[in-house]
Amino acid sequence: MFSRLKSILLSTFIVIFTMTSVQASVTLLGSRIIYPAQATSVDIQFKNNDNIPYVIQSWFDDGDVDSQPQQKNNVPFIVTPPVFRIQPKAGQIARVIFSGTATLPQDRESLFWFNTLQIPPSQRGSQAKQNIMAVMLRNRVKVFYRPAAIGKPDNILKGVKVNYVFDARKGSGLEIDNAQPWHLSLVALSLKTGAKNMTAETQMIAPYSKKTFWLSNAKQRFQGAATATLAAINDQGARISEDFAVNSQQR
């Protein structure tokens, strides 16, 4: 299998995209992997929606978006098989196993990343004697190691606190306090006051952490009460939202 991968790299021009820019033919069931500490392994399912076979190579990283399969890291997970061929219109199951090579916190989640590289056939029909360009698609999803003691959230937004903040240079913002043991995967944030609706770009917030998001076109302090709306991704990969009352006198 590895000799075949080497031959592909030598005989083709390689272009690698992420799934955010190009739609992959081989998809992973689910948008995240949650690994309960008490589990011996977690199965992940792939589906090839195309009419040609692909080779899938997978690996983990601890936050390096430019990581490569051969790089060494401190991620305490292995996947088996790490390289496999998936037939047209077929499925494949891989198994994620906690290796125990690192001691992880037991009072909160730990975050890692699972990468897959979709490699097309090196030769197809009339292309057998031609130089071709191979388009390889990379997908990267979060892996949450979840200790048994913290359980799972019923609604990840219920434990969040939202405060209004103002800075003379940055303007109005919202401080999000994730005072709970799970990562908060925010995907949208807005503040509505009267007829004005302001938004901000969001990021994931680690357990027991705070982040301030500065609102667009909001350089002046607003007066009175307003409603903040947060949207996040839950364990099932679904988008949920919650409204929070905020006041300009909070900070």
Side-chain angles (χ1 to χ4, degrees):
M1 181 68 73
F2 288 102
S3 62
R4 180 175 181 274
L5 286 177
K6 183 178 180 181
S7 67
I8 291 176
L9 295 175
L10 292 175
S11 62
T12 61
F13 299 101
I14 305 300
V15 178
I16 298 178
F17 292 99
T18 63
M19 276 190 64
T20 56
S21 57
V22 180
Q23 182 63 44
S25 297
V26 179
T27 55
L28 179 67
L29 183 63
S31 62
R32 60 204 50 234
I33 299 171
I34 297 174
Y35 197 104
Q38 61 272 29
T40 55
S41 64
V42 170
D43 289 345
I44 51 177
Q45 186 173 349
F46 295 86
K47 175 67 183 298
N48 183 1
N49 302 295
D50 211 336
N51 295 315
I52 59 173
Y54 289 90
V55 170
I56 301 297
Q57 185 173 20
S58 57
W59 70 98
F60 295 94
D61 73 75
D62 54 4
D64 180 7
V65 69
D66 297 318
S67 69
Q68 300 298 319
Q70 69 276 11
Q71 282 183 222
K72 291 185 178 180
N73 56 47
N74 296 318
V75 178
F77 290 99
I78 58 174
V79 58
T80 179
V83 182
F84 60 85
R85 178 186 173 95
I86 185 168
Q87 297 296 335
K89 303 297 182 181
Q92 172 75 33
I93 291 178
R95 181 163 293 175
V96 174
I97 301 170
F98 180 63
S99 64
T101 56
T103 301
L104 301 179
Q106 295 302 302
D107 65 339
R108 67 194 66 194
E109 286 182 335
S110 296
L111 172 67
F112 302 94
W113 296 83
F114 178 68
N115 301 265
T116 59
L117 189 64
Q118 173 185 297
I119 305 169
S122 57
Q123 296 179 343
R124 282 183 282 169
S126 61
Q127 297 176 338
K129 296 183 179 181
Q130 301 176 13
N131 289 327
I132 62 172
M133 180 175 67
V135 177
M136 298 185 182
L137 300 185
R138 178 180 173 182
N139 185 23
R140 191 167 180 259
V141 299
K142 299 179 183 76
V143 180
F144 298 106
Y145 175 84
R146 182 171 290 172
I150 69 172
K152 60 182 181 180
D154 293 326
N155 182 337
I156 191 67
L157 289 173
K158 289 296 186 182
V160 171
K161 297 179 181 178
V162 181
N163 293 307
Y164 173 79
V165 295
F166 182 79
D167 180 88
R169 183 172 59 86
K170 297 179 180 179
S172 293
L174 292 175
E175 179 191 76
I176 311 301
D177 183 1
N178 183 31
Q180 51 190 350
W182 309 283
H183 286 80
L184 176 63
S185 297
L186 282 179
V187 293
L189 179 155
S190 65
L191 180 70
K192 186 174 184 180
T193 171
K196 189 174 183 180
N197 192 58
M198 298 162 282
T199 61
E201 294 186 1
T202 59
Q203 298 175 352
M204 183 174 61
I205 305 178
Y208 302 116
S209 298
K210 299 178 182 179
K211 278 190 178 180
T212 297
F213 301 96
W214 300 104
L215 299 160
S216 59
N217 301 318
K219 295 301 183 181
Q220 295 182 341
R221 179 189 291 271
F222 79 87
Q223 299 298 320
T227 300
T229 301
L230 273 61
I233 302 298
N234 65 12
D235 278 3
Q236 292 72 43
R239 177 173 171 146
I240 60 173
S241 62
E242 196 80 25
D243 290 339
F244 299 82
V246 297
N247 193 289
S248 62
Q249 304 305 314
Q250 286 178 318
R251 186 67 63 87

